[in-house]
Amino acid sequence: MKAIVHTKYGSPDVLRLKEVERPTPKDNEVLIKVYAVSVNRSDWENLTGSPLYARFGGLLRPRHQILGSDIAGRVEMVGRNVSRFQTGDEVFGDVSFRMGGFAEYVCALEETLALKPAGLTFEQVAAIPQGAVISLQGIRDKGQVQPGQKVLINGAGGGAGMFAVQLAKLYGAEVTGVDNTGKLDFVRSLGADHIIDYTKEDFTKNGQQYDLILDVIANRSVFAYKRALRPNGSYFAVGGSVTRLLQILLLGPWIGRTTGKKIRILAVQPNLEDLVHATELCEAGKVVPFIDRRFSLSEVPEALRYLGEGFVKGKVVIIVELNNHS
Ligand SMILES: NC(=O)c1ccc[n+]([C@@H]2O[C@H](COP(=O)([O-])OP(=O)(O)OC[C@H]3O[C@@H](n4cnc5c(N)ncnc54)[C@H](OP(=O)(O)O)[C@@H]3O)[C@@H](O)[C@H]2O)c1
């Protein structure tokens, strides 16, 4: 099968389209013919080996030579213990535990997959998993957003941020979205009440305070985040620099004890129920999985370059195989 392979960390230039052996499903796995796979920031991080946490399990060489985790396609073969799926089923899910989605076929654990709803295309469901589950767990579960609360999404125009803005609005919050100049109209179109251009304004220095801050790109000190929180407010980082995440880990609990403000890292738990719920919201039209551009499998390097250069609004999707329902 064809796959996009990288054997060392680096820029998209290290990626190669190669002929590799098709994977064989284990007893509890499903082999999927990939129709569509979306590109996540985590693919970029695993390609470049930065931040350092992306090198977990592969300090000098990549642990996963084929990236790509949010996949959608058709079941080609099932392992002998698989009970929920059969050959021909249309499925999607998050295979980030082993990656391998930038390929014609990928294996996935049965419990990471859901049936594709009829009302959404393969490319739409491929755009949902990681970003939507991060946002659901941040906004609904950890944030417990209530109507009228003030919520700020830092990185609002990206793959997770676009879901977070829409979910926070759905839960009745007054939402501020922060991103770069080119993404602000997009962030407003998602429903954000206020927008902040991070290249021109520091949201922790403008005197505003929030009940919840969900941050996909933690790059400030915990004290700055504390300043931007209302009394009893909560801040959750889902991604960012290792230094900042360590600071949050070490000082967050102390700030909580002394001020009542919660500053934490959100470790996202892959959860099929959450994925299905987010997908139902998309099928009902309450949340839109916005796709900025589509690329072919051989264009994965261009797609990652586009992400790395800061252009992607929402998600980009790789169409691996054209079919009637892409
Ligand atoms: N905690 C967990 O368990 C868990 C699980 C999965 C993934 N993650 C992490 O969650 C994050 C998800 O990110 P994503 O997929 O949404 O990435 P994304 O699509 O790249 O979106 C990030 C957005 O933040 C913007 N941004 C960059 N610097 C900024 C700044 N200083 N202030 C405000 N916005 C800024 C980016 O704009 P530019 O284009 O200008 O850079 C981009 O629009 C990744 O870091 C991933 O590793 C965490």
Side-chain angles (χ1 to χ4, degrees):
M1 68 167 189
K2 289 191 177 56
I4 297 287
V5 179
H6 77 135
T7 51
K8 57 183 178 185
Y9 293 115
S11 75
D13 296 340
V14 303
L15 294 165
R16 295 282 176 272
L17 180 66
K18 281 191 176 171
E19 198 64 43
V20 300
E21 203 175 317
R22 195 173 89 166
T24 307
K26 298 196 179 96
D27 289 351
N28 58 345
E29 289 182 347
V30 173
L31 176 70
I32 298 154
K33 182 159 181 48
V34 182
Y35 287 166
V37 50
S38 71
V39 179
N40 280 298
R41 171 66 50 179
S42 48
D43 294 312
W44 175 262
E45 293 169 345
N46 281 293
L47 170 67
T48 57
S50 174
L52 205 57
Y53 60 70
R55 296 187 183 227
F56 183 73
L59 189 60
L60 301 177
R61 287 181 174 276
R63 181 166 54 120
H64 305 294
Q65 296 199 348
I66 305 174
L67 300 173
S69 61
D70 286 0
I71 55 99
R74 197 178 292 275
V75 173
E76 185 81 7
M77 192 192 293
V78 296
R80 74 170 101 159
N81 296 336
V82 170
S83 59
R84 289 175 46 237
F85 300 105
Q86 57 189 24
T87 306
D89 282 349
E90 296 179 346
V91 295
F92 72 106
D94 175 359
V95 299
S96 48
F97 76 102
R98 60 184 293 170
M99 298 278 199
F102 295 154
E104 290 179 307
Y105 294 89
V106 68
C107 282
L109 289 169
E110 177 181 27
E111 61 265 28
T112 60
L113 295 173
L115 284 172
K116 179 183 89 61
L120 294 172
T121 62
F122 284 102
E123 63 174 43
Q124 284 174 319
V125 293
I128 295 172
Q130 242 184 61
V133 171
I134 286 174
S135 301
L136 203 55
Q137 293 183 9
I139 299 293
R140 183 196 60 185
D141 301 344
K142 293 289 179 186
Q144 302 197 343
V145 170
Q146 304 296 321
Q149 284 191 326
K150 287 179 72 176
V151 172
L152 181 136
I153 311 298
N154 197 34
M162 75 159 157
F163 288 107
V165 170
Q166 296 181 76
L167 286 169
K169 284 305 294 177
L170 207 58
Y171 282 88
E174 179 185 333
V175 179
T176 300
V178 187
D179 216 303
N180 75 37
T181 320
K183 299 188 191 182
L184 296 181
D185 285 344
F186 170 61
V187 174
R188 209 185 268 291
S189 78
L190 297 170
D193 303 284
H194 315 284
I195 43 175
I196 293 177
D197 183 342
Y198 79 79
T199 65
K200 297 192 177 129
E201 184 180 339
D202 181 340
F203 76 86
T204 64
K205 288 186 178 159
N206 63 8
Q208 295 292 316
Q209 290 189 318
Y210 301 92
D211 297 292
L212 173 70
I213 298 172
L214 188 66
D215 193 354
V216 304
I217 201 91
N219 60 354
R220 294 183 175 81
S221 89
V222 283
F223 302 105
Y225 296 131
K226 175 174 76 91
R227 194 166 55 229
L229 285 177
R230 280 179 162 177
N232 298 317
S234 300
Y235 165 96
F236 293 103
V238 291
S241 80
V242 170
T243 321
R244 292 310 186 191
L245 295 176
L246 276 176
Q247 202 187 35
I248 291 166
L249 209 57
L250 294 172
L251 298 180
W254 172 73
I255 288 178
R257 278 196 299 278
T258 53
T259 68
K261 298 181 180 183
K262 192 182 230 178
I263 298 183
R264 293 275 192 282
I265 291 172
L266 168 57
V268 178
Q269 307 300 324
N271 180 312
L272 197 56
E273 253 179 54
D274 289 351
L275 176 58
V276 170
H277 178 58
T279 306
E280 285 167 354
L281 292 174
C282 294
E283 199 183 13
K286 293 181 177 170
V287 172
V288 178
F290 181 81
I291 297 169
D292 179 324
R293 273 179 69 179
R294 290 129 184 105
F295 295 83
S296 66
L297 183 61
S298 62
E299 291 172 333
V300 165
E302 282 78 9
L304 278 157
R305 207 167 280 121
Y306 187 59
L307 179 90
E309 286 169 356
F311 292 120
V312 178
K313 299 181 185 99
K315 297 297 291 269
V316 292
V317 173
I318 309 300
I319 307 295
V320 180
E321 173 160 316
L322 283 177
N323 57 75
N324 293 336
H325 312 286
S326 272

